[in-house]
Amino acid sequence: MVRLPLTPAEVERGQRLGALLRRVRGSRSMLDVALASHISPETLRKIESGRVATPAFPTIAAIADTLGLSLDAVWAEISRAERTVEDQSAPPATRHPSLVS
């Protein structure tokens, strides 16, 4: 199986995911969170550093559960910047349909 290169948007999303997990993990050790999530500390380290930009869904679900995050909250946080960029690049009529005559 050949993996396609990640797009810049996927890399950025992975970096946002890592930042979110580090922030929510707070003072908890990486080892404690990894073990509670049933993943290796190296996997968590790679996700938090952005080196694994597209981790498997069950991995993210396990980490989110350990940290008390809903998957909706994770998705909202990591896709927020994408929506902001899309909103800014859209024509005004698309951004504000109520302003269309």
Side-chain angles (χ1 to χ4, degrees), residues 5-67:
L6 297 174
T7 65
E10 289 170 325
V11 171
E12 229 176 271
R13 190 180 315 123
Q15 292 169 344
R16 286 192 301 274
L17 174 63
L20 169 65
L21 297 179
R22 279 191 313 275
R23 186 174 69 245
V24 174
R25 181 169 57 83
S27 64
R28 290 180 70 177
S29 78
M30 191 176 286
L31 178 63
D32 289 342
V33 172
L35 293 177
S37 302
H38 303 286
I39 63 170
S40 73
E42 184 60 22
T43 297
L44 182 56
R45 183 176 294 109
K46 286 178 181 178
I47 293 169
E48 285 191 0
S49 69
R51 289 188 320 195
V52 175
T54 57
F57 177 80
T59 302
I60 295 306
I63 298 168
D65 184 52
T66 298
L67 295 175

